[in-house]
Amino acid sequence: MNTIQPTVLVVEDEPAQREVLGYNLEAEGFRVARAENGEEALLLVDEEQPDIIVLDWMLPKLSGIEVARRLRKKPETSSVPIIMLTA
């Protein structure tokens, strides 16, 4: 039987953190998309809406808070769950 894997978008500017999060999520059976800044995250969401987003608070180019605000304003992404990460 073929099952659909939920997609998690990990948005983290620190490469090591991004990879650890992605590795562990993949080990638990999730499909993982990765972005290193807010602008890239918004582009990825437009291409394929994830089931949930793990979003760093402090990002270059566009903060995690601004990314979350923009996603909440759009009807098609307003209900996507977001988990905020911060140091």
Side-chain angles (χ1 to χ4, degrees):
M1 186 164 83
N2 192 4
T3 60
I4 298 173
Q5 294 175 291
T7 301
V8 179
L9 172 58
V10 174
V11 188
E12 169 62 62
D13 61 320
E14 294 292 330
Q17 294 277 35
R18 189 172 55 247
E19 288 310 308
V20 166
L21 286 166
Y23 174 84
N24 285 300
L25 289 164
E26 287 170 341
E28 292 299 320
F30 294 95
R31 190 172 152 264
V32 178
R34 295 168 174 85
E36 63 183 57
N37 62 60
E39 291 176 353
E40 185 179 357
L42 291 174
L43 290 172
L44 286 173
V45 169
D46 284 344
E47 289 175 11
E48 180 183 350
Q49 185 173 309
D51 296 292
I52 189 168
I53 300 169
V54 179
L55 181 60
D56 187 12
W57 183 289
M58 300 291 289
L59 292 168
K61 299 187 180 183
L62 197 61
S63 74
I65 291 295
E66 183 59 27
V67 171
R69 282 186 186 127
R70 291 184 187 189
L71 292 172
R72 290 293 174 249
K73 285 182 181 179
K74 296 170 65 175
E76 60 272 13
T77 57
S78 65
S79 64
V80 175
I82 298 172
I83 298 173
M84 296 296 294
L85 295 179
T86 182

